[in-house]
Amino acid sequence: MKRSVFLQSCLAMACAAAFPFAAQAADAKAQLAGGQFTVIAPFPAGGAVDILSRILATGLTEEYKQAAIVDNRPGANGNIGIDMVKRAKPDGHTLLVVPQGNLTINPTLMPNLPYSVFGDFVPVASMGRAANVIAVNPSVPAKDIKELVALSKAKPGTLSYASPGVGSSLHLAGELFKDKSGADIMHVAYKGSAQGLNDTLGGTLPMLIANMPTVLPHIQSGKLRALAVTDAARSSFLPNVPTLKEAGVPDVAISSWYGLLAPKGTPPEVVKQLADDVERIMKTPAALNQLKAQGMTAWVVKTDAFGELIRKETAMWAPIVKSHNIIPQ
């Protein structure tokens, strides 16, 4: 009898301990079910930010049985849309999807940035990532990274690589690659990925550093030759292409990723619920298929861990921006 009473008491205490967390989750669900979601994508339609925003909006609509819209607000390197979310009511209904550069590079690159990542926002979760690829026009005689580095040293000042802009994560990836490999390669900045890709395909430039969605179809068709991926592990999309570490260039393990933020002051239980929602949504077959079609993978790091990721990468990029005296154009 005493044993039965003891077990019942333990069960009651366990339920009592768990109840606050269950109550918080239910309360967060109720708060989020109270109005339309607006997902701000501060870049044009059709790109990775837009695609991820629409995956999220679809998932939120299905989960909460209410409208979730995507509002594309491009301009000023994303700052127009970012400012909208900065000023939004912190109730979890206005959300921001951004690439890593806005969170980890721009705070160093732009001293007068009109927002503070941690002062104006709460990190919710990362959503997806794409490997970066070093690729060359097939006319380039280098068949691998070692040959590329050797070629650049044999003909200094003659090789150049395209990136989608000064201070972009791909530009900085190129500078990091040069630092670690000793390659003599000049940077040519474009406004976006399209023209740099076209010039590399046409042979005007010998090579580019781009994310997987940009170059995958052209690698598969033979119009570009992939020499390495800059990620820590090989990509499932190009399993025969080595990482830079495998190719003999250590300490370069970076990828392009995208994350979700909410306005500062959003209740912690709402942030946690949104992070859980992101994790569930990004694992759905529909989301995984959409990402695969774009050469991307789901990648979810939540709340505090996501914040630490942002801080870590900011610390990684800052000395590269400063040592190369990179100034936004």
Side-chain angles (χ1 to χ4, degrees):
M1 183 65 179
K2 289 182 179 180
R3 177 179 173 83
S4 175
V5 171
F6 174 75
L7 291 175
Q8 290 176 3
S9 176
C10 289
L11 180 60
M13 286 190 290
C15 290
F19 179 76
F21 300 102
Q24 287 178 0
D27 184 54
K29 280 277 190 180
Q31 291 181 60
L32 289 170
Q36 173 181 288
F37 292 99
T38 301
V39 181
I40 301 294
F43 293 93
V49 169
D50 178 64
I51 291 165
L52 286 164
S53 297
R54 294 183 188 283
I55 289 173
L56 177 64
T58 299
L60 291 174
T61 297
E62 293 174 351
E63 176 67 23
Y64 292 94
K65 311 304 179 187
Q66 63 194 33
I69 65 169
V70 174
D71 188 354
N72 293 91
R73 294 295 181 114
N77 193 32
N79 289 344
I80 292 175
I82 292 171
D83 188 66
M84 287 182 64
V85 181
K86 170 185 170 180
R87 299 175 185 277
K89 184 178 180 181
D91 59 3
H93 290 97
T94 304
L95 302 168
L96 174 69
V97 177
V98 282
Q100 71 192 105
N102 290 91
L103 305 178
T104 65
I105 297 173
N106 288 1
T108 303
L109 185 69
M110 302 176 181
N112 298 317
L113 199 66
Y115 63 88
S116 165
V117 174
F118 292 99
D120 295 319
F121 299 97
V122 180
V124 178
S126 63
M127 299 176 67
R129 69 191 298 178
N132 299 325
V133 185
I134 298 176
V136 298
N137 183 284
S139 64
V140 175
K143 298 298 189 295
D144 57 36
I145 288 294
K146 288 184 178 179
E147 291 184 3
L148 179 71
V149 173
L151 179 65
S152 75
K153 292 178 178 179
K155 298 181 178 180
T158 61
L159 288 183
S160 55
Y161 75 95
S163 89
V166 172
S168 66
S169 63
L170 294 165
H171 171 202
L172 268 61
E175 298 307 299
L176 185 59
F177 165 65
K178 288 162 57 178
D179 288 347
K180 299 299 182 181
S181 68
D184 187 331
I185 303 172
M186 296 183 297
H187 172 236
V188 179
Y190 289 83
K191 292 184 178 179
S193 300
Q195 189 58 50
L197 172 64
N198 289 338
D199 281 357
T200 307
L201 289 170
T204 303
L205 286 183
M207 62 180 287
L208 80 167
I209 300 178
N211 57 38
M212 186 70 71
T214 300
V215 294
L216 182 60
H218 306 289
I219 293 169
Q220 292 172 331
S221 68
K223 294 178 180 179
L224 291 174
R225 182 191 305 127
L227 301 187
V229 296
T230 69
D231 215 340
R234 293 195 183 202
S235 169
S236 60
F237 296 100
L238 295 172
N240 295 323
V241 176
T243 66
L244 277 175
K245 182 177 181 179
E246 291 174 328
V249 183
D251 302 324
V252 183
I254 53 177
S255 61
S256 295
W257 54 260
Y258 309 85
L260 181 70
L261 281 77
K264 187 74 171 181
T266 303
E269 66 272 15
V270 171
V271 173
K272 182 182 183 305
Q273 181 60 55
L274 286 167
D276 291 344
D277 290 335
V278 168
E279 185 172 41
R280 176 187 52 77
I281 291 167
M282 300 311 296
K283 289 180 178 178
T284 61
L288 294 172
N289 287 335
Q290 283 182 270
L291 292 173
K292 184 177 180 180
Q294 298 297 321
M296 298 173 64
T297 57
W299 184 59
V300 179
V301 179
K302 300 192 293 185
T303 57
D304 291 346
F306 182 39
E308 285 305 308
L309 170 70
I310 294 170
R311 289 186 175 92
K312 181 180 178 181
E313 289 211 4
T314 301
M316 178 187 73
W317 291 127
I320 298 171
V321 172
K322 294 174 181 177
S323 65
H324 289 272
N325 195 29
I326 297 172
I327 300 172
Q329 297 178 351

